Amino acid sequence: MDPEELRQRFSLLTTAHLTDGCVRAGVPVRCAPAGTHAVFPGARLAGRVTPARHVGSVDVFLEAYETANPGDILVVDNRGRLDESCVGDLAVLEAEAAGLAGVVIWGLHRDTADIKKIGLPVFSLGSIPTGPLSVSERPDGALDSAVVGEWTVTRDDLVFGDEDGVLFVPADRADEVLDRAEAIRDTERRQAERIRSGESLREQVRFADFLAERAKTPSLTFREHLRSVGGAIEE
């Protein structure tokens, strides 16, 4: 999918819509750990993953930029370390100059004020003043994959970020996930408009019917009931 088309479609969605779309499409929901937030409010990103495993030296990022495509997102694996930062303002500024559309860090950043001025979306676990505390041997495949929380991501993945957090989606399933997310968004908007017009959500999803049916069939789930009436809550 063209990077601009991807950003345009995501501009009308949220990561919450996309996670629900993953559930509907049978795609594993792969969120970055809770606490992965944007450096500045309102930042959003969407693009193909350019992975880099950090071991204490910025050269791995510079090498990643050499092969990145415009619109890619640098995804940095610093093993979730909270005792050092691994990305600062120069790495972010160089990412912008290389045409990347953002940075996601499983770890910490620094130079917050300067990163805000640059304006490139950066998501991390937070900030700390100190930079890398040591340099380790570079692992094989340092530019082939990155680990973020419990997930391993590659250039075959897309990454999305907004105020709710960060989500990874296989690129070859993106169209399906986006289609389902858009359908869920539209359903939920209609439901919200009806609530504002005086029709409660319980009425819309025929909650009394659900309670009656569940009394007869205790194994009936609310999700099953929602699917039967065209609702979108929880999915």
Side-chain angles (χ1 to χ4, degrees):
M1 185 183 303
D2 177 79
E4 184 55 39
E5 178 187 355
L6 182 68
R7 287 192 293 271
Q8 179 59 35
R9 291 186 72 177
F10 182 55
S11 72
L12 303 175
L13 295 165
T14 67
T15 53
H17 292 136
L18 290 177
T19 57
D20 290 349
C22 286
V23 172
R24 287 277 182 94
V27 173
V29 176
R30 297 183 295 161
C31 294
T36 307
H37 295 306
V39 173
F40 51 87
R44 295 170 59 88
L45 54 75
R48 189 176 293 270
V49 169
T50 287
R53 298 195 182 202
H54 180 261
V55 291
S57 177
V58 72
D59 65 285
V60 71
F61 305 150
L62 303 182
E63 188 173 349
Y65 300 157
E66 288 285 311
T67 58
N69 293 313
D72 284 359
I73 308 296
L74 180 69
V75 175
V76 178
D77 172 3
N78 200 34
R79 294 164 290 167
R81 289 182 63 165
L82 301 179
D83 61 336
E84 66 172 29
S85 67
C86 59
V87 172
D89 61 330
L90 292 182
V92 174
L93 192 59
E94 185 70 6
E96 181 182 54
L100 278 75
V103 179
V104 173
I105 310 162
W106 190 36
L108 303 177
H109 72 275
R110 68 173 178 177
D111 303 322
T112 300
D114 289 318
I115 289 175
K116 288 180 178 178
K117 290 176 184 176
I118 295 167
L120 192 72
V122 175
F123 286 69
S124 78
L125 294 175
S127 62
I128 197 170
T130 184
L133 298 174
S134 62
V135 178
S136 303
E137 183 178 351
R138 178 167 161 168
D140 292 337
L143 294 175
D144 296 331
S145 65
V147 176
V148 179
E150 61 181 299
W151 310 113
T152 298
V153 297
T154 71
R155 296 175 189 270
D156 293 329
D157 291 302
L158 303 179
V159 56
F160 301 87
D162 64 9
E163 291 179 318
D164 281 329
V166 170
L167 173 71
F168 300 100
V169 176
D172 62 0
R173 302 294 301 276
D175 274 323
E176 182 182 3
V177 170
L178 286 163
D179 287 345
R180 290 176 181 269
E182 288 162 351
I184 291 167
R185 174 203 62 201
D186 293 343
T187 297
E188 290 183 342
R189 284 181 176 175
R190 289 192 296 269
Q191 289 174 325
E193 290 170 0
R194 289 163 68 182
I195 292 173
R196 295 187 184 100
S197 298
E199 183 182 4
S200 74
L201 187 59
R202 285 164 294 159
E203 292 173 301
Q204 293 179 46
V205 301
R206 293 160 46 186
F207 194 66
D209 291 347
F210 166 67
L211 294 177
E213 287 299 319
R214 193 180 64 182
K216 300 175 186 176
T217 310
S219 62
L220 178 69
T221 68
F222 188 46
R223 181 165 290 180
E224 290 170 335
H225 172 74
L226 282 173
R227 286 175 175 164
S228 73
V229 300
I233 307 170
E234 294 188 348
E235 296 193 64

